[in-house]
Amino acid sequence: MARALVLCADDFALSEGVSRAIAALAAQGRLSATSAMVLSPRWREDVARLQPLRGQVDVGLHLDWTSAFALAAGHGQPLPALMLWAALGALRADAVRAVVERQLDAFEAHWKAPPDHIDGHQHVQQFRGIREALVEAVQRRYPQHPPWLRVSLAPPGQRDLKARTIAAWGAQALVRQANRAGLPHAEVLSGIYDFSGDTAAYAQHMQRWLRTAPAGTVLMCHPADRADADDAIGAARAREGAYLASAAFAQALAAADVRLARGHDLFPAAPA
């Protein structure tokens, strides 16, 4: 049988070009999940693009502490500052809990259902001080059908310096806490790279990820249908979007004997 992977497009509602590309790719069967930035003012408008796909792809929360939307909301910090506060154990538990609750509320207000999964913009879901609040909120809010959590731990063979650095910020700790709480979670995350190179380079990355990822891997991507000048990775988003919509990507899936699946179907709740 073909290996089942989750291909998750991050940053839905970041911009019109991102939301439009993600919805189009999901309708084409080229994605099986997406994660929404619910602090974006576009969320309430762009969510309509996902409605025809309800039940076909996982729609989840992209927990956000570091974007311009988070800064505008009053709790955001630049990533280096948030990392320092997390490392020092200095994030206030009550404030973190309130931010997690507000983002879950904002997701549900417009999707009209709980998230299928939860991950984090720049992997903040696994930071010390945030992961504890997230696990507690999921346990309390969704005792019967909890969303699955994404863990930012690359599979063996894909653990370059960037991947190891990301994992060091709490991947294993999040796994332990999810297991103790009986929450479903993905074991590994693929799709980590430096956003450089041309479309051919991205195609090579994708072919390697597909070839070496074990079944059940979440493979993240960041597609858009245009490059926005004010987006630091705008050019990479446009390249990803073009490749994922191409016949070459369909051929890569077939060559790697991979099928795209929902995490909803792959990640059962762990025994508490």
Side-chain angles (χ1 to χ4, degrees):
M1 258 183 101
R3 278 174 300 126
L5 307 183
V6 178
L7 182 54
C8 182
D10 289 359
D11 302 337
F12 185 86
L14 174 71
S15 68
E16 182 180 9
V18 168
S19 293
R20 191 167 51 212
I22 290 173
L25 288 167
Q28 194 181 353
R30 300 298 175 85
L31 300 172
S32 56
T34 187
S35 303
M37 302 186 76
V38 300
L39 300 177
S40 167
R42 295 202 63 89
W43 168 237
R44 67 180 62 208
E45 174 184 345
D46 288 356
V47 68
R49 297 180 183 274
L50 299 177
Q51 295 295 351
L53 302 166
R54 187 180 289 271
Q56 299 176 42
V57 298
D58 284 349
V59 176
L61 171 63
H62 204 47
L63 196 64
D64 183 9
W65 247 268
T66 59
S67 76
F69 308 127
L71 292 170
H75 68 271
Q77 300 180 55
L79 181 60
L82 181 67
M83 294 170 77
L84 176 61
W85 281 88
L88 295 173
L91 294 173
R92 284 178 44 207
D94 58 339
V96 172
R97 283 194 296 268
V99 171
V100 171
E101 295 287 344
R102 283 199 299 270
Q103 293 190 51
L104 287 167
D105 288 345
F107 182 94
E108 292 184 22
H110 299 293
W111 184 238
K112 307 300 183 185
D116 291 306
H117 65 277
I118 301 172
D119 51 43
H121 188 57
Q122 298 185 311
H123 312 281
V124 300
Q125 83 279 11
Q126 60 189 28
F127 285 12
R128 179 184 179 189
I130 295 177
R131 61 181 180 254
E132 295 85 356
L134 174 59
V135 167
E136 187 277 330
V138 169
Q139 276 187 292
R140 180 171 40 78
R141 290 176 69 125
Y142 314 113
Q144 300 302 316
H145 302 287
W148 57 270
L149 305 180
R150 191 162 92 186
V151 175
S152 301
L153 177 65
Q158 298 184 22
R159 295 176 182 172
D160 60 11
L161 178 59
K162 182 175 181 178
R164 293 196 303 271
T165 301
I166 290 170
W169 283 90
Q172 296 288 5
L174 180 57
V175 169
R176 289 192 295 270
Q177 291 175 8
N179 281 335
R180 283 197 296 269
L183 299 181
H185 58 279
E187 293 288 343
V188 288
L189 177 70
S190 185
I192 299 169
Y193 74 116
D194 63 3
F195 299 107
S196 66
D198 57 12
T199 303
Y202 183 70
Q204 290 177 348
H205 286 310
M206 181 61 72
Q207 290 161 12
R208 177 174 59 86
W209 295 331
L210 294 175
R211 186 176 64 251
T212 60
T217 295
V218 176
L219 202 169
M220 67 175 174
C221 59
H222 303 80
D225 64 9
R226 68 186 185 205
D228 290 333
D230 60 350
D231 185 345
I233 62 167
R237 291 185 194 276
R239 288 192 294 269
E240 291 190 28
Y243 175 74
L244 293 172
S246 71
F249 177 54
Q251 293 163 3
L253 289 171
D257 197 24
V258 164
R259 66 180 177 89
L260 302 183
R262 296 177 62 193
H264 174 87
D265 301 321
L266 294 181
F267 309 129

